[in-house]
Amino acid sequence: MQAQSGAHTAGGPLAGRTALVTGASRGIGRGIAERLASDGALVVVHYGQNTAAAHDVVTAIRAAGGNAFPLQTLLGATGDAQALYTALDSELARRGLEPGFDILVNNAGVSGSARIHEVTPELIDKIFSVNVKALLFVIQEGLTRMRDGGRIINISSAATRIAYPKSVVYSMSKGAMETLTLALAKELGPRGITVNTVAPGFVATDMNAKLRTTPEEVADLARLSVFERIGAPVDIAGIVAFLASPDSQWITGQRLDATGGSQL
């Protein structure tokens, strides 16, 4: 990855790099944004609707000595990828920074519980419009701006390894993501761009708080992992940080299981 002049002065393995993290206003996305910033990257904190949460992430990053700015675009709508990068180009120019970026973390996604007999066309459209269609076009448009030697990191799910019939459409969408990862890794090899997937298991975030409302539910979820605890955003962020770093240059087209050894 080539250095970008004028982005920031922080040191670290990602100094001089610019990282775009989608869905970074909370949960796993926030953890990733904060970690990449602590490793020296200028982080673009993308969010869809929660402006207050996104600005809180940026404030926290700056307070810790990092550099970041928020960027709002609603994914899943027509022209979403173009709108995202038009806004990014404008923000970089406004800050006197070089165009382009080095790291793309595709974390934004939507879920929806439904067994096979409950699936509707509307649910398929809702989930696939963000988790698959927007994902593909965010990458496609981003490749016109990503510098050679860059990193693409897709956040998938344990549901592609562990059967999860309660959310069959969501599981399908993450399977599509992993297939795309494999194809792109070969496509982008000549540019030195690596493409990998990180597949978390159960992680304690506000999005899934309803699954751990009692001590018994918490204990059941903790027992899924060989470490007998629930995952945290920082656990996933560390893996992403490695894949974003120069040390991961010989890894591409891979799915990294980030479930804490769940259901081995």
Side-chain angles (χ1 to χ4, degrees):
M1 287 180 282
Q2 299 172 354
Q4 175 183 339
S5 63
H8 50 77
T9 58
L14 300 181
R17 275 72 166 183
T18 296
L20 169 60
V21 183
T22 66
S25 65
R26 60 178 181 164
I28 291 174
R30 174 172 184 158
I32 292 169
E34 292 179 340
R35 174 58 189 270
L36 297 185
S38 73
D39 282 356
L42 166 64
V43 178
V44 183
V45 177
H46 165 267
Y47 68 102
Q49 299 180 10
N50 197 333
T51 300
H55 282 269
D56 185 58
V57 176
V58 172
T59 298
I61 287 173
R62 291 174 178 170
N67 199 355
F69 63 84
L71 191 72
Q72 182 179 20
T73 308
L74 188 62
L75 299 180
T78 301
D80 49 7
Q82 292 82 358
L84 171 66
Y85 289 108
T86 296
L88 176 59
D89 294 344
S90 177
E91 287 296 321
L92 290 174
R94 191 169 70 84
R95 287 168 169 78
L97 303 177
E98 296 177 6
F101 67 109
D102 308 278
I103 300 161
L104 173 60
V105 182
N106 289 300
N107 172 74
V110 296
S111 60
S113 296
R115 292 181 178 272
I116 183 63
H117 64 279
E118 301 168 318
V119 173
T120 65
E122 292 76 18
L123 181 65
I124 293 175
D125 290 343
K126 171 191 170 184
I127 293 178
F128 270 70
S129 67
V130 177
N131 295 6
V132 179
K133 185 177 178 180
L135 167 74
L136 187 150
F137 287 111
V138 165
I139 294 173
Q140 181 191 69
E141 189 72 19
L143 287 171
T144 67
R145 295 163 174 84
M146 178 172 282
R147 287 180 272 271
D148 289 353
R151 302 282 186 266
I152 298 175
I153 303 159
N154 298 320
I155 306 302
S156 183
S157 169
T160 63
R161 174 176 67 84
I162 302 170
Y164 194 51
K166 291 181 180 180
S167 292
V168 63
V169 178
Y170 174 79
S171 301
M172 289 169 61
S173 74
K174 292 302 184 178
M177 169 186 279
E178 294 186 9
T179 301
L180 177 62
T181 295
L182 186 63
L184 288 176
K186 187 166 186 177
E187 177 82 10
L188 300 176
R191 289 184 56 186
I193 296 173
T194 66
V195 190
N196 292 288
T197 295
V198 175
F202 189 85
V203 178
T205 66
D206 57 352
M207 183 178 293
N208 54 37
K210 63 182 179 180
L211 299 178
R212 47 187 172 88
T213 57
T214 69
E216 291 76 18
E217 289 171 337
V218 171
D220 287 343
L221 291 170
R223 280 193 290 269
L224 294 174
S225 165
V226 298
F227 302 116
E228 297 188 355
R229 69 172 177 85
I230 294 174
V234 67
D235 297 319
I236 311 306
I239 298 168
V240 172
F242 166 68
L243 289 175
S245 76
D247 287 341
S248 69
Q249 64 182 348
W250 206 235
I251 299 175
T252 195
Q254 301 304 302
R255 176 191 187 277
L256 276 71
D257 188 292
T259 67
S262 291
Q263 297 188 349
L264 288 179

